[in-house]
Amino acid sequence: KKLQSSSFQNGVYFVEYLESAWYQVLEIESIIKIMPQWDDYSYLNWWKGLSCLMKLSWFTEKDFIATTYNSITSANFEWSAPSNIALVKYWGKIENQLDEEGEILTQIPANPSVSFTLNSCKTVTKLAFAKKSNDGNFSFDLLFEGKPKEEFKPKILKFLERVEVYLPFLKDYHFTIDTQNTFPHSSGIASSASGMAALAVNFMSIEKLLSRNFGTEMTDEYFNKKASFLARLGSGSACRSIKGNIVVWGNHKNIEGS
């Protein structure tokens, strides 16, 4: 509708529209229809706007750091995530290497891998959270199939430590994590992948709830990409369990966006 309005018949407005609402799907054909009415200046802004859209479609680690949140007393979510099986495995991870900005690379595969997602083998995780005073510590209970599972807690704690910079609200709440698998544990199916993926998606649901009314609504693309990013910090292959039937993890020169 905005594309057809008289106030939108100029590339300047197109740039402003993209910068404020870049997450919306744009009908490129509709834009092309009104382009003949633009002058050279408007064409220039069209390309600036398109460039803006393309840049904002890619996310870096810094894009996943949020600082402003609402205050919620308590809530709960429930998500499931599938396990996956690698068709092409990754053989180890890159260690002690720096990115372009001098930061240590974390949980990056030494080679790209390809996996297919399982339909029936999944982890179902309920996550309840309640406001607490921030004493500088993480606070959580962990239940596996309805019973406390203390031996799983160190891995969850390590995960929370890794993702805290991207989820700054973690120490403001006590979490109750209740998780179960639809397949036997330690059966050769990667429960760590589905488990961390399910937990990451739950945390993203909390962030989406806490970040409402601050700027633009969180998009599905951002939600899924950050969830995949967070899941990877818990278990490398968990990033392949967020979305997709056939998933590539790792950079490959012939796969755009990998």
Side-chain angles (χ1 to χ4, degrees):
K1 291 181 180 179
K2 281 194 175 184
L3 289 172
Q4 297 170 355
S5 67
S6 58
S7 62
F8 199 70
Q9 304 298 307
N10 186 290
V12 176
Y13 292 104
F14 180 67
V15 175
E16 293 175 352
Y17 177 63
L18 281 179
E19 290 177 343
S20 64
W22 59 270
Y23 55 86
Q24 299 192 26
V25 177
L26 298 175
E27 295 284 350
I28 299 299
E29 289 183 323
S30 298
I31 298 172
I32 293 174
K33 289 179 181 178
I34 65 173
M35 284 178 66
Q37 304 174 34
W38 294 356
D39 55 24
D40 290 342
Y41 181 71
S42 298
Y43 274 114
L44 176 61
N45 279 284
W46 146 258
W47 287 113
K48 286 182 179 179
L50 184 59
S51 176
C52 171
L53 175 64
M54 293 174 66
K55 289 179 180 178
L56 287 168
S57 293
W58 296 89
F59 298 103
T60 66
E61 290 188 21
K62 289 183 172 57
D63 294 318
F64 293 142
I65 299 176
T67 58
T68 307
Y69 294 104
N70 294 303
S71 179
I72 303 295
T73 302
S74 63
N76 59 82
F77 294 97
E78 178 177 339
W79 282 88
S80 66
S83 186
N84 65 79
I85 294 180
L87 299 171
V88 177
K89 299 180 69 67
Y90 74 92
W91 297 88
K93 299 169 185 174
I94 297 175
E95 297 184 9
N96 301 320
Q97 290 193 27
L98 306 179
D99 62 16
E100 295 178 354
E101 298 183 358
E103 299 291 334
I104 297 177
L105 294 169
T106 305
Q107 295 284 83
I108 302 297
N111 62 281
S113 60
V114 180
S115 68
F116 68 88
T117 304
L118 303 177
N119 287 330
S120 300
C121 298
K122 59 185 179 181
T123 297
V124 182
T125 299
K126 299 177 182 178
L127 182 64
F129 64 102
K131 189 77 172 179
K132 72 175 186 69
S133 60
N134 188 336
D135 58 2
N137 297 309
F138 299 108
S139 177
F140 67 95
D141 295 317
L142 179 64
L143 305 176
F144 180 67
E145 297 181 340
K147 299 178 181 180
K149 199 74 170 178
E150 293 297 315
E151 56 264 43
F152 285 2
K153 293 184 75 173
K155 186 169 185 177
I156 299 299
L157 179 59
K158 185 175 182 179
F159 172 65
L160 296 178
E161 291 171 344
R162 282 180 171 177
V163 303
E164 181 188 8
V165 64
Y166 309 105
L167 302 171
F169 56 82
L170 288 178
K171 291 180 179 177
D172 294 329
Y173 293 92
H174 174 79
F175 300 96
T176 300
I177 305 168
D178 189 353
T179 187
Q180 60 182 333
N181 299 324
T182 62
F183 54 92
H185 184 66
S186 300
S187 62
I189 299 175
S191 60
S192 61
S194 55
M196 284 300 177
L199 185 56
V201 176
N202 272 290
F203 278 132
M204 283 306 299
S205 293
I206 296 176
E207 178 176 303
K208 186 174 182 177
L209 177 63
L210 295 178
S211 62
R212 283 181 177 171
N213 303 321
F214 291 102
T216 58
E217 181 76 10
M218 184 182 294
T219 67
D220 290 342
E221 180 189 24
Y222 182 90
F223 184 102
N224 289 329
K225 286 191 174 183
K226 184 169 180 178
S228 180
F229 170 79
L230 296 175
R232 173 170 61 81
L233 297 181
S235 175
S237 58
C239 67
R240 302 186 307 220
S241 286
I242 298 297
K243 184 179 180 181
N245 296 321
I246 304 293
V247 183
V248 174
W249 174 35
N251 183 34
H252 192 285
K253 63 179 182 180
N254 293 328
I255 302 176
E256 184 178 357
S258 62

